[in-house]
Amino acid sequence: MTAPLDDTTARVLLVRTARSLFTRGLTHGSTGNLSLRLGDGGLLLTPTGSSLGAVQEADLSRTDLAGRHLDGLKPTKEAFLHAAFYRARPDARAVVHLHSTHAVAVSCLDGLDPANALPPLTAYYAMRVGTLPLLPYHAPGDSALEPLAEQTARSHHAVLLANHGPVVAAATLEQATDAIEELEETAKLYLLLRGHITRPLTPEQAAVLVPTSP
């Protein structure tokens, strides 16, 4: 298991990653939220209404595993979603949720397979994401999504929220970021290839590339 992070280190890492995602156009405005599990079992999250491009270390929120606000600014309205992933995946120490353009575009398409919204077009997608369940639409902050997210997260470290965006958990923030970026690139490929005959990895090829992160 990855060593737990202390509060100071976690704050620096969370803000640095938030800046990187924002400046590279993977999130916009005040969308998206990140979190880390701390050594004391609590969660450190970006606050509600904040831009990942401007959030400061002192702005970050702390909650417990039930999503209850402990200190700092008011947490993201989707704190319950982060908490659900951590409860379902004890080895996960980071959760990233973005509204990245191509993944959101895919989440708005009709006729997606709810068990696996994107095909394994590349080996890296199969390694970093695997299968991607599509969870039905809920308004942002609707805690009715929590039990379904927790149940799904027990067997999948990445999900796509319908008409909303992706959520990924991993053992480290770097791994979660790598996976969600791979998901965004695969969504882009999927949209570029619509109308073309494609050749995704076969089930046998994908099976040997199952993600190893929590």
Side-chain angles (χ1 to χ4, degrees), residues 166-185:
V167 185
V168 174
T172 67
L173 190 54
E174 181 181 31
Q175 289 175 8
T177 302
D178 283 348
I180 209 164
E181 289 188 50
E182 195 67 44
L183 194 161
E184 171 65 7
E185 287 303 307

Side-chain angles (χ1 to χ4, degrees), residues 5-211:
L5 294 171
D6 62 79
D7 183 83
T8 300
T9 303
R11 286 176 186 273
V12 171
L13 181 59
L14 208 58
V15 168
R16 185 174 68 202
T17 303
R19 292 274 194 285
S20 174
L21 291 169
F22 185 88
T23 57
R24 290 182 295 120
L26 286 156
T27 188
H28 59 278
S30 60
T31 65
N33 34 79
L34 317 178
S35 67
L36 284 165
R37 191 201 302 258
L38 299 174
D40 62 7
L43 308 181
L44 189 69
L45 308 97
T46 50
T48 188
S50 65
S51 165
L52 295 189
V55 66
Q56 303 292 324
E57 292 168 23
D59 297 337
L60 299 177
S61 309
R62 282 175 56 97
T63 73
D64 62 17
L65 268 181
R68 290 185 289 260
H69 186 199
L70 300 177
D71 60 60
L73 296 183
K74 185 178 179 181
T76 167
K77 67 173 68 71
E78 287 156 343
F80 69 87
L81 191 57
H82 291 251
F85 268 76
Y86 289 118
R87 291 194 304 269
R89 308 189 71 82
D91 289 340
R93 295 202 173 274
V95 173
V96 177
H97 166 49
L98 298 179
H99 297 183
S100 48
T101 302
H102 298 91
V104 173
V106 169
S107 82
C108 297
L109 294 175
D110 191 23
L112 295 176
D113 179 358
N116 193 15
L118 279 174
L121 294 174
T122 68
Y124 285 100
Y125 177 80
M127 285 189 288
R128 291 177 177 158
V129 178
T131 56
L132 183 69
L134 177 71
L135 302 191
Y137 175 76
H138 290 72
D142 182 355
S143 62
L145 177 60
E146 185 171 5
L148 176 58
E150 184 170 353
Q151 178 184 0
T152 307
R154 293 191 185 109
S155 53
H156 298 84
H157 77 287
V159 303
L160 186 62
L161 308 179
N163 303 84
H164 190 158
V167 185
V168 174
T172 67
L173 190 54
E174 181 181 31
Q175 289 175 8
T177 302
D178 283 348
I180 209 164
E181 289 188 50
E182 195 67 44
L183 194 161
E184 171 65 7
E185 287 303 307
T186 302
K188 184 177 181 179
L189 288 173
Y190 179 76
L191 294 169
L192 285 170
L193 292 168
R194 278 172 67 82
H196 297 272
I197 298 172
T198 58
R199 189 183 62 253
L201 272 65
T202 67
E204 293 76 19
Q205 290 169 331
V208 300
L209 299 170
V210 173

